Amino acid sequence: MQVQEERRLGEEADAFLRQYYAESGLTDGALAARLRQVREEIDRSGTYRHTEEELAYGAKVAWRNSNKCVGRLFWSSLNVRDARELMQEDDIFEALFHHIRLATNEGRIRPTITVFAPASTEAPRVRIWNHQLIRYAGYETDAGIVGDPKSVVFTRICMELGWRGEGTPYDVLPIVIQLGDRPPCWRAVPPELVLEVPIRHPELPGLAELGVKWYAVPMISDMSLEIGGVIYAAAPFNGWYMETEIGARNLADTDRYNLLPRIAGLMGLSTESNVTLWKDKALVELNIAVLHSFKTDGVSIVDHHTAAEQFLRFEQQERDAGRPVTGNWAWLIPPVSPAATQIFHRSYDNTIVKPAYDYQRCPYHT
Ligand code: ARG
């Protein structure tokens, strides 16, 4: 078992280092020396440690390889923070709060990843229990769900750990982390770190009165990052939003904030019949409102037409570099007017290429 595992790690390390040295224009001599060193380290300790440069390159290429991501044009500008030496809960929370501050950057969002230690003999595995570092709670009440229905289970877990929210539809959940098999540990996110955008519409004043808002930065914190066979279970990362994620999904899905009937009401549309396309009209206005609000507040966001154009440039850039592009069509097309983008009319090879971000087992009982 152990021997097999070390063989797998050795092969993955080999492939990764060859790719890194080839793409970075480093010499064959340097590659040979590094390969020898890593093989010895694996023989001796059962694992190996990436250099800071290898880690940064690996995290960026994992983004480049993310089949579901339409925002990959910017892969090489990822800001990679090395937090592998942190072993204490307090220090890890500090690094997570710092990630939020750096990534938010007062609205000029910086794509950022913070990589914590992988599981190894000296270090316990770090896991972040949250799906995103900032996300709204969801409470089951007699009057129905208050907040984000997607968060109901995790919110209950946070409350079992002793957290209490105010009970509004937009309570920011605490961050929960766990080191090895130690009990999980939680902290509230300092409110001054949480940038939020009140959603209003340039021509529909009634929309602002709904009191709808969304947070500025989506920071995914439950996915693993695999580089050269090493699996980083805690490596939260962020880009900026595409407006449809908020306006066509988070705020619109019937099993999320389900706002379309209320928007249609504000617009004076009857929701009686499908043929008036009231859902479509409400969706478009809600997406306009999200773009307008983020833009007005100086918070980075991209519309789906621009994002699709950027993705085509990414494809061209990759072809020019002699690298095949993989992608997941169903995720790449936007949920609003997909056929108005070129992505819709193309096809993509959904092969998984490493380094890669991946889903991992939920760390708590659901
Ligand atoms: N779709 C998720 C959300 O609405 C965020 C996923 C990552 N998105 C991004 N633009 N990097 O919260």
Side-chain angles (χ1 to χ4, degrees):
M1 189 55 202
Q2 179 129 3
V3 177
Q4 230 169 36
E5 172 54 23
E6 281 179 23
R7 162 115 57 77
R8 181 199 66 90
L9 183 60
E11 284 166 3
E12 297 279 350
D14 218 87
F16 167 68
L17 292 168
R18 287 176 196 283
Q19 184 190 5
Y20 170 54
Y21 277 73
E23 276 193 32
S24 310
L26 296 162
T27 66
D28 290 351
L31 170 64
R34 180 65 176 140
L35 286 174
R36 224 175 305 117
Q37 192 183 43
V38 166
R39 277 185 211 124
E40 279 168 17
E41 196 176 336
I42 295 173
D43 282 344
R44 182 165 28 84
S45 71
T47 185
Y48 73 105
R49 189 183 155 84
H50 290 128
T51 65
E52 248 182 76
E53 292 76 17
E54 289 162 2
L55 182 71
Y57 167 81
K60 291 176 183 182
V61 173
W63 184 7
R64 189 175 83 198
N65 290 337
S66 293
N67 289 359
K68 294 172 177 168
C69 178
V70 74
R72 288 182 269 166
L73 178 62
F74 304 101
W75 67 272
S76 63
S77 68
L78 181 64
N79 174 21
V80 183
R81 303 175 63 232
D82 179 2
R84 288 175 296 174
E85 77 286 5
L86 304 184
M87 295 293 150
Q88 304 295 330
E89 278 102 349
D90 281 341
D91 298 332
I92 291 168
F93 279 116
E94 221 25 74
L96 292 172
F97 295 154
H98 199 53
H99 179 131
I100 296 175
R101 198 178 291 112
L102 288 171
T104 306
N105 192 27
E106 289 165 353
R108 292 184 33 82
I109 296 172
R110 284 186 283 229
T112 301
I113 183 168
T114 302
V115 184
F116 294 95
S120 77
T121 38
E122 314 96 83
R125 171 196 286 264
V126 183
R127 265 307 294 267
I128 301 167
W129 283 20
N130 308 60
H131 165 59
Q132 294 183 25
L133 296 183
I134 294 176
R135 220 186 189 206
Y136 298 127
Y139 310 94
E140 241 156 8
T141 75
D142 296 339
I145 292 174
V146 172
D148 193 339
K150 267 270 160 69
S151 299
V152 163
V153 174
F154 182 62
T155 301
R156 200 180 307 129
I157 301 270
C158 292
M159 293 178 71
E160 278 165 23
L161 294 174
W163 175 80
R164 285 293 172 274
E166 285 178 39
T168 79
Y170 305 99
D171 290 353
V172 174
L173 287 159
I175 296 181
V176 181
I177 64 171
Q178 183 175 29
L179 292 192
D181 340 304
R182 287 163 65 165
C185 199
W186 66 270
R187 298 265 197 293
V189 181
E192 65 273 17
L193 294 186
V194 184
L195 182 60
E196 296 178 293
V197 179
I199 306 300
R200 64 270 193 195
H201 189 284
E203 283 119 35
L204 280 171
L207 211 151
E209 281 151 37
L210 295 180
V212 173
K213 59 180 176 175
W214 204 256
Y215 52 86
V217 192
M219 291 166 283
I220 302 290
S221 49
D222 58 357
M223 292 181 82
S224 62
L225 164 60
E226 179 176 345
I227 302 172
V230 175
I231 294 171
Y232 297 93
F237 59 83
N238 72 277
W240 48 77
Y241 267 117
M242 180 164 87
E243 106 287 3
T244 55
E245 299 183 85
I246 303 169
R249 304 297 314 278
N250 302 344
L251 296 179
D253 280 357
T254 51
D255 60 353
R256 299 294 299 286
Y257 281 77
N258 191 25
L259 286 179
L260 296 187
R262 288 161 79 190
I263 308 278
L266 290 175
M267 294 170 68
L269 302 172
S270 159
T271 57
E272 290 291 291
S273 161
N274 285 330
V275 300
T276 60
L277 301 188
W278 65 270
K279 285 184 189 171
D280 309 71
K281 285 182 164 178
L283 261 176
V284 168
E285 297 307 334
L286 181 52
N287 278 268
I288 289 171
V290 169
L291 284 167
H292 166 77
S293 308
F294 272 65
K295 293 267 179 216
T296 305
D297 286 4
V299 177
S300 308
I301 191 158
V302 67
D303 67 84
H304 53 287
H305 300 289
T306 305
E309 287 166 14
Q310 289 169 345
F311 189 74
L312 259 64
R313 276 171 57 203
F314 168 71
E315 289 186 57
Q316 186 58 50
Q317 190 174 285
E318 290 304 292
R319 267 197 301 277
D320 292 347
R323 294 187 291 256
V325 174
T326 56
N328 183 338
W329 185 91
W331 277 68
L332 290 172
I333 58 163
V336 174
S337 310
T341 69
Q342 283 312 304
I343 300 172
F344 184 88
H345 306 282
R346 305 165 73 95
S347 59
Y348 296 91
D349 164 15
N350 195 19
T351 305
I352 303 300
V353 181
K354 288 176 185 175
Y357 297 99
D358 199 358
Y359 301 130
Q360 46 188 347
R361 225 189 66 236
C362 183
Y364 50 84
H365 292 293
T366 56

